Amino acid sequence: MKTELNLHDRSLTLHRFPKRSNETLQAWDAGDEYLINHVEELALPDHQNIVVINDNFGALACWFSDKHNVTLMSDSFISHKGVKQNLEQNHCNKVAFLTTMDAIPANADMVLIQLPKSNRHLIWLLSQLRKALPASCPIIAVNKAKEIHTSTLKLFEKYLGETKTSLAWKKHRLVFSSANVEPAIEVDPMTIWGVEGEDIQLKNWPNVYSGESLDLGARFMLQHIPQDPALKHIVDLGCGNGVLSVKAGQLNPQARLTCVDESFMAVESAKQNLIENLDEGRDFQCIANNCLDGFKPDSSYLIMCNPPFHQQQAITDHIAWQMFCDAKRILNKGGKLLVIGNRHLGYDAKLKRLFGDSNVKLVASNNKFVILQATKDPAKLGAN
Ligand SMILES: C[S@@+](CC[C@H](N)C(=O)[O-])C[C@H]1O[C@@H](n2cnc3c(N)ncnc32)[C@H](O)[C@@H]1O
């Protein structure tokens, strides 16, 4: 797997975050190279204010920080960490970090975007760019050509302004646009809906997983969250909008709650939803983090997890594995990890490998999902 990006007689060493010894996925793609090549050809004067949105692991931020003032905007905590790691490794100049809930810097001279996966997130970004920028500021986006549909370009024209595309290069295409549509359309970042059969109302920022309706797995999990006065601390790992924590909090008023997600928008949504759905004064925290990095061992009685199966654009089960390993470390002896997954994902084998065959049991199943419970063996005191 390549870690050296060589272009225009310059070389950058780039790794994904977290760095893994057996990594098979590269930290940049041909879209990053296409954007770099295009902007290099423009021969911009130095010290331009370049806003880079959704840089995966920092190829663009590292490249352009050499001569320009770069502001990176991303909803991903993992991207922020990956970009920081690569800036440091390549001794790059300082870059400013923002999330995509922050205002677009109005002094931008150019905006470069790796297109987000979700259309809601794209619409939000386009509407924010339209509001913040003059028509003269070039906005250049990139994605795999097969992901740029006529409907994607229509969103650009509706929410941002005039738009055209480049020829394809290494299966990627550039989208050139200007912030000049009239009138500018105001976009409400939140979707708000109630959970059927529950006393739960959810607000969802645009990049939250399943932000328009309840995930089917989460719906099934809601019926199997335990109620137990002994549960003092419950962790919702990969919390999304926090729906599982809200239910766990309603069932267990004595429990302290911790919601963790790598999406800043998810963390903000979960925070809002816990405030609005639970009684005042509840003890909870919502944290942007990579799985349970930095959490104290032996500090939780129950961890609930509906794991993701992709990171950025890549489909992978390594995050689920990291979540299960972290959960085992963080649980008290006798503490429980409750996992929901599609039947075909084989989480039972992973959990048995980690927790031991006799400590993993099936809690419930239907035609699509299984809910598994893994108990940290109270007999193995001191073992993590
Ligand atoms: C399948 S969704 C579950 C969301 C919510 N718990 C539910 O049940 O609807 C998985 C969540 O894991 C988050 N996630 C992905 N990678 C992560 C990581 N490395 N650390 C923490 N959260 C992560 C995603 O942002 C997403 O919100």
Side-chain angles (χ1 to χ4, degrees):
M1 197 262 316
K2 257 173 77 172
T3 55
E4 298 296 310
L5 169 64
N6 293 305
L7 287 173
H8 308 277
D9 297 325
R10 262 183 80 194
S11 175
L12 291 173
T13 304
L14 299 169
H15 293 277
R16 295 172 81 91
F17 179 89
K19 240 178 177 177
R20 296 186 304 150
S21 51
N22 54 350
E23 185 61 83
T24 53
L25 301 165
Q26 204 174 273
W28 74 95
D29 63 17
D32 294 316
E33 293 184 31
Y34 201 175
L35 272 176
I36 289 170
N37 290 339
H38 176 80
V39 177
E40 285 298 321
E41 273 170 27
L42 299 176
L44 299 175
D46 288 357
H47 307 302
Q48 299 289 291
N49 296 319
I50 299 191
V51 175
V52 175
I53 304 182
N54 297 333
D55 196 3
N56 283 332
F57 295 100
L60 300 170
C62 288
W63 188 274
F64 292 110
S65 64
D66 186 36
K67 291 193 183 140
H68 303 292
N69 312 318
V70 173
T71 300
L72 176 123
M73 300 187 79
S74 168
D75 182 47
S76 163
F77 175 86
I78 291 194
S79 286
H80 281 226
K81 292 289 275 191
V83 176
K84 283 177 188 159
Q85 162 192 280
N86 285 320
L87 285 167
E88 208 170 295
Q89 159 122 37
N90 292 283
H91 309 291
C92 296
N93 292 322
K94 261 192 139 146
V95 160
F97 285 81
L98 297 176
T99 77
T100 50
M101 292 178 288
D102 294 315
I104 308 269
N107 65 351
D109 297 308
M110 175 174 275
V111 178
L112 305 175
I113 315 176
Q114 275 274 8
L115 283 179
K117 260 176 103 87
S118 118
N119 272 350
R120 263 190 79 214
H121 197 196
L122 176 61
I123 290 171
W124 168 246
L125 290 171
L126 297 177
S127 68
Q128 295 305 99
L129 289 165
R130 169 63 187 84
K131 257 190 4 201
L133 299 179
S136 56
C137 175
I139 299 164
I140 313 173
V142 70
N143 206 352
K144 291 198 178 89
K146 65 173 186 192
E147 304 289 346
I148 302 177
H149 310 285
T150 314
S151 58
T152 318
L153 301 176
K154 283 199 173 135
L155 293 179
F156 270 82
E157 288 186 331
K158 179 167 174 189
Y159 293 98
L160 187 56
E162 273 166 80
T163 298
K164 55 188 193 319
T165 58
S166 71
L167 294 174
W169 178 81
K170 287 196 182 174
K171 299 189 177 163
H172 284 70
R173 212 181 268 288
L174 301 179
V175 179
F176 304 100
S177 199
S178 311
N180 60 4
V181 73
E182 289 293 349
I185 299 175
E186 199 56 48
V187 170
D188 183 347
M190 298 295 187
T191 53
I192 305 175
W193 37 269
V195 178
E196 206 190 312
E198 302 284 346
D199 183 18
I200 301 177
Q201 279 276 325
L202 297 172
K203 287 191 175 158
N204 303 268
W205 277 88
N207 198 36
V208 175
Y209 174 82
S210 225
E212 276 158 293
S213 59
L214 188 63
D215 173 60
L216 287 178
R219 171 170 300 287
F220 191 41
M221 185 83 148
L222 284 179
Q223 300 160 22
H224 297 278
I225 294 177
Q227 181 167 36
D228 178 354
L231 294 173
K232 294 200 185 107
H233 180 210
I234 300 175
V235 175
D236 184 354
L237 178 50
C239 63
N241 56 23
V243 61
L244 302 180
S245 301
V246 169
K247 178 75 184 181
Q250 290 174 336
L251 289 170
N252 299 283
Q254 78 293 340
R256 179 162 68 85
L257 302 162
T258 300
C259 291
V260 181
D261 204 287
E262 81 93 23
S263 153
F264 293 104
M265 287 191 176
V267 170
E268 198 48 42
S269 307
K271 187 171 158 195
Q272 198 66 32
N273 291 330
L274 286 172
I275 291 173
E276 290 179 14
N277 287 279
L278 297 181
D279 291 339
E280 225 175 283
R282 277 303 290 260
D283 186 2
F284 71 84
Q285 52 177 345
C286 298
I287 306 170
N289 202 22
N290 173 38
C291 300
L292 298 172
D293 280 359
F295 275 58
K296 273 214 302 249
D298 305 321
S299 61
S300 172
Y301 294 77
L302 174 69
I303 298 180
M304 306 176 294
C305 186
N306 177 5
F309 30 93
H310 59 78
Q311 187 190 50
Q312 263 77 356
Q313 316 298 350
I315 303 216
T316 165
D317 67 355
H318 80 266
I319 305 165
W321 177 249
Q322 192 190 336
M323 286 181 163
F324 300 164
C325 293
D326 284 9
K328 189 179 169 202
R329 186 168 45 86
I330 296 318
L331 282 171
N332 291 318
K333 313 288 180 267
K336 297 186 186 336
L337 167 63
L338 202 59
V339 174
I340 179 142
N342 278 60
R343 301 185 78 96
H344 66 85
L345 289 170
Y347 288 156
D348 52 339
K350 284 189 164 59
L351 291 172
K352 283 180 179 163
R353 214 170 115 199
L354 262 176
F355 287 83
D357 282 11
S358 58
N359 292 321
V360 176
K361 74 168 197 188
L362 179 70
V363 173
S365 68
N366 63 20
N367 55 355
K368 213 165 166 217
F369 298 104
V370 288
I371 298 179
L372 299 158
Q373 177 185 286
T375 305
K376 182 156 161 180
D377 195 342
K380 291 188 184 149
L381 283 174
N384 279 324

